[in-house]
């Protein structure tokens, strides 16, 4: 099988100590499998241990690969502020995002102002401001650059499927993963339904010629889990993003992970 991944974590005040993260990930997944089987009477065991060869991993962007909420919040508050409208907190924006910029703007506006004309005008101002300040606070989550590099090294095809507007999706991927070749980087585009429609996943499968059984779809929200279910591909819910573990569980996540390196373990089990 593939070579083990060896990592060093530096804990402030405690020095560097070597961790076998692959073992920790395996133990975590075994624990979750046992709990899941106990809760569901064994009905998920066969599904979770079914052998598959993963040749394509599709990632959501915001809340999965990148922590973008700071720049989204600042941009939206900026366009609200110039209109003298109430602004919102970080926590509120975590629940506003996930369904595209139009819905983000709509949710941020006071209800009486949610007319098509106002939403469109605020969205246009948001896109302009956000595109100009898109990476002021945005960062990859810990372990994500290493995960992407390792999957690419092993010959796994990589893709991004986002509800963010296409230009913003492409810009962020180019800024934070400049040396990585992605089979597809797809965001919101005219005429293409947003997630949880499976349209974007179907397009990626068609472009890459990949069978559904060889795909992992990785995301941080119920919308992502619903997208994977609609496309009939295996889902991985990440607990480090904008939404709760409970939301991911209720949406039917095939796996739940707390660390990017657990995704490598899922890949190796296939």
């Amino acid at each position: 099988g593939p070579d083990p991944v060896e990592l060093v974590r530096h804990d402030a005040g405690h020095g560097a100590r070597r961790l076998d993260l692959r073992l920790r990930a395996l133990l975590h997944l075994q624990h979750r499998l046992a709990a899941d089987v106990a809760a569901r009477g064994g009905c998920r065991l066969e599904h979770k241990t079914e052998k598959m060869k993963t040749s394509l991993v599709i990632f959501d962007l915001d809340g999965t690969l990148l922590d973008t909420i700071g720049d989204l919040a600042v941009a939206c508050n900026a366009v609200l502020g110039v209109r003298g409208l109430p602004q919102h907190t970080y926590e509120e924006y975590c629940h506003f995002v996930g369904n595209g910029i139009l819905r983000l703007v709509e949710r941020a506006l006071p209800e009486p102002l949610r007319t098509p004309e106002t939403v469109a005008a605020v969205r246009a101002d948001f896109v302009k401001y956000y595109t100009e300040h898109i990476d002021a606070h945005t960062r990859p989550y810990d372990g994500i650059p290493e995960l992407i590099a390792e999957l690419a090294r092993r010959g796994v095809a990589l893709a991004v499927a986002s509800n963010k507007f296409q230009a913003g999706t492409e810009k962020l991927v180019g800024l934070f993963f400049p040396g990585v070749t992605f089979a597809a980087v797809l965001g919101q585009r005219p005429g293409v339904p947003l997630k949880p429609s499976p349209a974007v996943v179907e397009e990626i499968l068609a472009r890459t010629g990949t069978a559904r059984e060889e795909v992992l779809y990785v995301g941080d929200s119920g919308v992502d889990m619903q997208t994977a279910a609609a496309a009939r591909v295996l889902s991985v819910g990440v607990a480090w993003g904008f939404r709760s573990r409970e939301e991911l569980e209720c949406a039917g996540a095939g796996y739940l992970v707390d660390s990017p390196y657990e995704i490598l373990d899922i890949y190796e089990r296939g």
Side-chain angles (χ1 to χ4, degrees):
D3 296 333
V5 178
E6 189 175 66
L7 299 162
V8 177
R9 188 178 80 182
H10 296 276
D11 292 307
H14 299 284
R17 59 192 180 94
R18 194 169 301 278
L19 297 174
D20 186 349
L21 288 185
R22 291 183 65 251
L23 177 58
R24 288 179 61 214
L26 178 59
L27 291 173
H28 173 79
L29 286 172
Q30 287 175 333
H31 172 75
R32 288 210 58 79
L33 275 172
D36 191 64
V37 171
R40 301 175 183 264
C43 65
R44 295 281 284 178
L45 180 60
E46 181 180 355
H47 169 74
K48 288 199 174 197
T49 58
E50 181 181 352
K51 287 293 182 182
M52 58 173 283
K53 173 190 174 185
T54 301
S55 62
L56 169 66
V57 181
I58 303 172
F59 291 95
D60 172 54
L61 184 61
D62 299 68
T64 301
L65 294 178
L66 301 177
D67 184 356
T68 57
I69 202 72
D71 286 317
L72 291 167
V74 168
C76 203
N77 277 343
V79 298
L80 292 172
V82 298
R83 289 170 165 81
L85 298 174
Q87 301 179 22
H88 302 284
T89 66
Y90 175 97
E91 290 75 19
E92 287 175 306
Y93 279 109
C94 286
H95 293 279
F96 290 171
V97 299
N99 298 96
I101 299 302
L102 197 68
R103 290 299 302 277
L104 165 62
V105 168
E106 187 178 72
R107 290 163 177 161
L109 283 169
E111 191 165 352
L113 297 181
R114 294 174 186 174
T115 64
E117 296 78 16
T118 301
V119 171
V122 175
R123 182 192 185 278
D125 289 348
F126 172 91
V127 168
K128 182 177 186 300
Y129 185 101
Y130 179 66
T131 303
E132 293 171 355
H133 304 86
I134 201 166
D135 62 339
H137 305 287
T138 293
R139 297 291 180 271
Y141 288 101
D142 289 345
I144 284 294
E146 294 83 359
L147 169 66
I148 294 296
E150 183 62 19
L151 288 172
R153 186 186 73 82
R154 298 185 188 201
V156 180
L158 304 170
V160 172
S162 177
N163 275 348
K164 186 189 293 291
F165 61 103
Q166 181 67 24
T169 300
E170 291 178 350
K171 186 170 183 178
L172 283 173
V173 172
L175 283 170
F176 289 101
F177 306 102
V180 180
T181 299
F182 285 88
V185 175
L186 300 180
Q188 179 269 322
R189 294 155 293 150
V192 180
L194 293 173
K195 300 182 293 183
S197 164
V200 65
V201 174
E202 299 286 358
E203 183 174 347
I204 293 169
L205 297 183
R207 286 192 185 192
T208 60
T210 306
R212 299 176 196 278
E213 296 76 20
E214 299 180 2
V215 177
L216 287 180
Y217 180 98
V218 183
D220 74 305
S221 71
V223 167
D224 290 309
M225 302 305 100
Q226 293 160 12
T227 302
R232 305 194 307 281
V233 300
L234 183 60
S235 61
V236 180
V238 305
W240 59 78
F242 303 152
R243 301 300 177 86
S244 67
R245 298 179 68 92
E246 290 75 21
E247 177 174 321
L248 294 167
E249 288 172 347
C250 290
Y255 289 94
L256 272 174
V257 298
D258 295 295
S259 160
Y261 301 100
E262 293 175 59
I263 297 170
L264 280 181
D265 187 80
I266 295 169
Y267 164 74
E268 291 173 359
R269 290 159 68 92

